[in-house]
Amino acid sequence: MRATVIHAPHDIRVEEVPDAVVQQPTDVVLRVLRACICGSDLWAYRGDSAREPGQRIGHEFLGIVEEAGPEVTGFAAGDLVVAPFVWSDGTCSYCAEGLTTSCPRGGFWGSGGSDGGQGEAVRVPFADGTLVKLPAEAASDDRLLTALLALSDVLGTGHHAALGAGVKPGSTVAVVGDGAVGLCGVMAAKRLGAERIIALGRHRARTDIARAFGATDVVAERGEAALAAVRELTRGEGVQGVIEAVGTEQSMRTAIDIVRDGGSVGYVGVPHGSGTGIDLDVMFDRNVALRGGVAPVRSYIPELLPDVLDGTIDPSPVFDLSVGLDGVPGGYRAMDERTALKVLIKP
């Protein structure tokens, strides 16, 4: 089969690799219908996170079950399913608590020895604990299929950030970051009842999506100017909750600066360049809470899926460029150069 591999920074290739096959009785083999490139994939692409030459890449995908192992009970050949970006066994104490990303037997797609999502097929370990079944008719609805793909990562990650930020009906929220996760954070905050949502971003095409997703205000400034703008919009207090969806030191400092005393920052931006940390004294003195981390999206899919299916929420606009498998290297370049927000892959 063909799949995307990374050989070195800025060296993404689509190559012939061994076919995905059932190796354990709890596996399924899934034929990929839709996949995409994540902003976090760019850290490997840019050389900011290490990868072995020839390692698979990609962690967001959905598709059709081609074969199921003999101990798989919840899925059969022909089922349309979505995969969260981490596999998990569904039986451990962490899975029972909803923290599927901490499953001791879990793992990330594209890690050593596993298939990546940006290919023709994927071997899925612990299928019963990992996959979520989708309505079969969605396979023939291109827009819906694209919206459902967001359940594999960005929609659930935005939801995780909104929960961490303490979003509730009537609250005022700011979103730091205008990438796909930040935009889904806007959508999540709106879904949870936020009355005012301030999107921080300077790219018009992205802030237009933010407004469509529920943002009431846009702040294009950064640093001290962003703080001043948010303070002006909130009677000098700041916001009750902040969704931090970037992961740099500057973005985290901005988040803490603009949250009001007693507020919460929900952080889901993959940390990079933030080694100097943040001032805990400031957070302590102001009673600022910090919650977030790797989103256990498998636990959120059952809650979010009905709203995607009935059109209550539609995250599909975050995908603004579509490529076939041969176009994946160009898709990485487009996202790296910020000429694309999020690249959809149709193998």
Side-chain angles (χ1 to χ4, degrees):
M1 71 178 195
R2 301 171 72 232
T4 305
V5 298
I6 182 167
H7 285 269
H10 301 281
D11 186 1
I12 293 284
R13 308 178 197 174
V14 178
E15 299 180 339
E16 293 286 335
V17 300
D19 288 341
V21 296
V22 169
Q23 297 179 13
Q24 300 294 329
T26 53
D27 291 350
V28 306
V29 171
L30 181 153
R31 175 170 53 87
V32 178
L33 292 183
R34 294 290 185 276
C36 54
I37 301 172
C38 182
S40 64
D41 291 331
L42 296 181
W43 306 127
Y45 181 73
R46 294 166 179 161
D48 294 329
S49 59
R51 294 291 190 277
E52 293 294 323
Q55 189 172 338
R56 308 285 181 82
I57 195 166
H59 55 262
E60 300 164 277
F61 59 95
L62 57 74
I64 302 290
V65 173
E66 293 274 273
E67 180 183 0
E71 293 182 14
V72 175
T73 60
F75 304 96
D79 286 342
L80 178 67
V81 295
V82 62
F85 65 84
V86 172
W87 73 76
S88 52
D89 63 18
T91 62
C92 71
S93 61
Y94 287 111
C95 288
E97 295 166 9
L99 194 61
T100 50
T101 50
S102 290
C103 177
R105 296 198 290 176
F108 290 81
W109 309 111
S111 57
S114 70
D115 293 323
Q118 296 165 12
E120 292 181 322
V122 175
R123 178 183 74 88
V124 178
F126 303 112
D128 284 329
T130 300
L131 299 174
V132 176
K133 191 178 296 186
L134 302 173
E137 58 270 22
S140 59
D141 186 332
D142 188 66
R143 184 212 56 79
L144 179 57
L145 206 60
T146 301
L148 291 168
L149 177 61
L151 290 166
S152 65
D153 185 347
V154 290
L155 184 58
T157 298
H159 179 70
H160 187 58
L163 294 178
V167 178
K168 58 185 178 182
S171 59
T172 298
V173 184
V175 179
V176 179
D178 59 3
V181 170
L183 295 173
C184 286
V186 171
M187 176 174 284
K190 177 69 173 179
R191 178 180 174 274
L192 292 172
E195 182 175 319
R196 193 170 196 184
I197 304 171
I198 304 169
L200 279 69
R202 58 176 55 185
H203 303 277
R204 179 63 182 272
R206 299 183 180 201
T207 56
D208 284 349
I209 296 174
R211 288 189 183 278
F213 282 3
T216 56
D217 304 271
V218 170
V219 169
E221 293 83 2
R222 292 186 179 180
E224 291 297 323
L227 171 59
V230 173
R231 296 282 184 184
E232 184 177 352
L233 289 169
T234 57
R235 302 185 304 279
E237 292 186 354
V239 295
Q240 294 163 306
V242 180
I243 291 171
E244 192 287 314
V246 182
T248 63
E249 180 180 343
Q250 178 184 341
S251 64
M252 184 62 80
R253 290 189 182 278
T254 296
I256 292 171
D257 285 345
I258 63 178
V259 72
R260 75 189 298 273
D261 289 13
S264 301
V265 175
Y267 71 105
V268 292
V270 178
H272 54 281
S274 55
T276 58
I278 54 179
D279 191 340
L280 291 179
D281 286 341
V282 171
M283 297 177 63
F284 182 86
D285 291 344
R286 297 177 50 216
N287 280 283
V288 171
L290 183 64
R291 305 185 185 94
V294 184
V297 299
R298 174 60 182 83
S299 298
Y300 298 141
I301 291 174
E303 175 184 349
L304 298 171
L305 176 58
D307 284 359
V308 176
L309 291 174
D310 68 15
T312 300
I313 54 176
D314 178 13
S316 64
V318 302
F319 299 97
D320 60 344
L321 177 63
S322 178
V323 299
L325 206 51
D326 288 331
V328 170
Y332 272 84
R333 288 193 297 272
M335 286 183 61
D336 185 43
E337 295 166 359
R338 296 184 70 86
T339 58
L341 168 59
K342 190 168 182 66
V343 175
L344 176 70
I345 302 168
K346 299 180 178 181

